[in-house]
Amino acid sequence: MSSASAKAQQRAKFEQVFTVIRDELIAHHAGSGMPKEATEWFKQNLDYNVPGGKLNRGLSVVDTVEILKGRTLTDDEYFKSAVLGWCVELLQAFFLVSDDIMDSSVTRRGQPCWFRKEKVGLIAINDSFLLESAIYHLLKKHFRQEKYYVDLLELFHDTSYQTEYGQLLDLITAPEDAVDLDKFSLERHRLIVVYKTAFYSFYLPVALAMRVCNIPSIDGPSDPYAFASSILIPLGTYFQIQDDFLDFSAPPEILGKIGTDIIDNKCSWCINVALAHASPTQRAVLDANYGQKNAESEAKVKEVFEQVGIREKYATYEEGVYKEIISLIETIPSQGSKEGLKREVFKSFLDKIYKRQK
């Protein structure tokens, strides 16, 4: 079987679990005495916003449990791992629905943003709350009897809080309608990325899998969760910097979308590197053109990016961070240890990211 067809099968199996948990959520909603109209709305909210993305975060939970156990999962183990994976996807949906309102976005995943749909509007704010609350209903239903139940609750609560820190920082640093490049810096960019992306996209799926596999926390420097975070947060940062670079450099036909970070006034890695290396003349060009809604201004900004050597600087960064992450991974003994961790958990993430083109 080709890797593409294996991946498609893996996704299809995972999506079957979404149907089960969606139906559980709908049955609970209807069973609470909600009228049919409200239950149908909730179902549309779930179907429209949860299953449509790449599902990388959710699938990572299942993959990591399988790597840590070192064998094929039983049906019950697979189902529980997939439920947690879908809880991560519900968290992602909660963030995206609300983020699109804050950003006044138009499309998401190739379709109109949920709040742009006819009759939805600002009801989408409450819909995002429902997506988040669904996580805790599912955790209670499927994991309340497990000794690690409270650990799961804390992981979701802590990660939500961290991501909201990052969202606040992003919103006050780079509002679309008020460009102020003095607010930008590589350190500000790092903080936004760590809090807004890395915790929920990289640390959360692995930490959930570790809990399911009964890997305990340990007080002190040998805590496996702190060690996992020390690899996964730099990995998540690398992923976002790569995303920022591809938004500028990748042709739309390869990237699958048109890059908009420059016209959207995003506090991206590219603009921060350019600001750090720009001459006064180049800085004046960036100040005059960054975040402007026209192709001419965007082209002038891209010209400065090329002049300061963004492509070379990114290539140097990528090689450096790859070596740094590999060296951290290799501190785990090849047969696995570091209190139950395995190299392959982290290597599988790194292999998906390194040198990707889209």
Side-chain angles (χ1 to χ4, degrees):
M1 186 189 301
S2 72
S3 63
S5 61
K7 207 171 177 182
Q9 274 194 14
Q10 186 188 27
R11 183 184 173 106
K13 184 179 180 183
F14 186 63
E15 286 174 329
Q16 285 171 2
V17 177
F18 174 72
T19 306
V20 174
I21 62 162
R22 181 204 60 203
D23 292 349
E24 286 177 0
L25 290 166
I26 296 307
H28 179 259
H29 192 265
S32 302
M34 290 292 107
K36 190 175 178 183
E37 176 191 13
T39 301
E40 182 55 34
W41 185 286
F42 185 33
K43 181 176 182 295
Q44 286 178 13
N45 175 15
L46 290 165
D47 284 337
Y48 196 88
N49 294 306
V50 183
K54 298 189 194 88
L55 308 182
N56 287 340
R57 295 166 183 82
L59 284 164
S60 292
V61 180
V62 180
D63 292 345
T64 304
V65 172
E66 196 159 55
I67 291 167
L68 290 172
K69 288 190 178 288
R71 57 171 172 79
T72 304
L73 303 182
T74 66
D75 287 348
D76 183 60
E77 287 169 343
Y78 179 87
F79 180 76
K80 285 197 154 173
S81 303
V83 169
L84 286 176
W86 281 111
C87 285
V88 178
E89 293 295 333
L90 279 160
L91 187 70
Q92 157 94 333
F94 158 55
F95 292 148
L96 297 185
V97 169
S98 50
D99 186 58
D100 285 343
I101 300 168
M102 290 179 246
D103 287 350
S104 300
S105 298
V106 177
T107 60
R108 166 75 64 184
R109 295 170 176 168
Q111 58 185 7
C113 296
W114 177 243
F115 83 99
R116 297 277 184 190
K117 295 274 289 176
E118 190 181 354
K119 297 183 181 175
V120 176
L122 295 183
I123 297 172
I125 297 171
N126 191 66
D127 289 336
S128 76
F129 299 161
L130 281 169
L131 295 170
E132 184 193 27
S133 295
I135 295 166
Y136 298 100
H137 174 76
L138 292 169
L139 292 177
K140 184 177 178 181
K141 179 177 172 64
H142 294 285
F143 296 95
R144 196 166 189 270
Q145 74 286 0
E146 303 291 348
K147 64 183 180 183
Y148 53 79
Y149 174 57
V150 171
D151 296 310
L152 299 181
L153 294 177
E154 286 188 350
L155 271 170
F156 276 101
H157 281 133
D158 292 350
T159 305
S160 298
Y161 201 20
Q162 288 161 329
T163 308
E164 287 150 10
Y165 278 8
Q167 177 73 346
L168 172 63
L169 203 50
D170 192 22
L171 290 167
I172 63 174
T173 301
E176 243 187 277
D177 56 349
V179 182
D180 180 2
L181 297 184
D182 287 337
K183 287 186 172 183
F184 287 17
S185 69
L186 282 164
E187 175 57 16
R188 178 65 66 100
H189 174 265
R190 185 192 68 80
L191 275 173
I192 292 169
V193 169
V194 167
Y195 281 90
K196 190 177 174 181
T197 301
F199 278 116
Y200 95 90
S201 298
F202 286 81
Y203 176 70
L204 177 62
V206 173
L208 291 170
M210 290 166 66
R211 288 298 178 192
V212 168
C213 294
N214 291 305
I215 294 176
S217 302
I218 298 170
D219 286 334
S222 56
D223 178 40
Y225 291 87
F227 179 74
S229 178
S230 76
I231 297 175
L232 293 162
I233 299 307
L235 247 175
T237 305
Y238 167 35
F239 172 82
Q240 187 58 55
I241 287 174
Q242 189 178 52
D243 231 37
D244 291 354
F245 178 70
L246 290 172
D247 185 275
F248 154 67
S249 66
E253 60 272 17
I254 292 176
L255 191 61
K257 63 180 181 179
I258 296 168
T260 60
D261 284 359
I262 292 170
I263 61 172
D264 289 345
N265 188 35
K266 293 291 184 189
C267 182
S268 88
W269 182 82
C270 296
I271 182 63
N272 282 296
V273 169
L275 290 169
H277 293 90
S279 67
T281 305
Q282 290 167 331
R283 173 61 193 252
V285 173
L286 295 174
D287 281 326
N289 293 284
Y290 200 76
Q292 302 305 309
K293 310 292 185 195
N294 65 79
E296 191 182 336
S297 291
E298 184 184 30
K300 287 178 181 173
V301 171
K302 286 187 171 184
E303 194 178 332
V304 174
F305 285 2
E306 298 287 10
Q307 288 166 359
V308 300
I310 284 280
R311 292 174 193 273
E312 295 78 12
K313 286 178 169 55
Y314 175 75
T316 302
Y317 163 79
E318 183 166 49
E319 288 312 308
V321 78
Y322 181 80
K323 286 175 185 168
E324 178 190 321
I325 292 167
I326 283 288
S327 67
L328 281 167
I329 293 170
E330 287 177 351
T331 64
I332 303 170
S334 57
Q335 298 307 308
S337 178
K338 282 271 182 180
E339 284 64 44
L341 291 174
K342 292 184 180 177
R343 289 182 182 184
E344 186 52 34
V345 169
F346 307 100
K347 195 77 171 61
S348 65
F349 274 94
L350 187 56
D351 288 345
K352 286 174 194 165
I353 298 169
Y354 184 54
K355 300 276 190 188
R356 72 186 170 101
Q357 301 298 308
K358 60 179 181 176

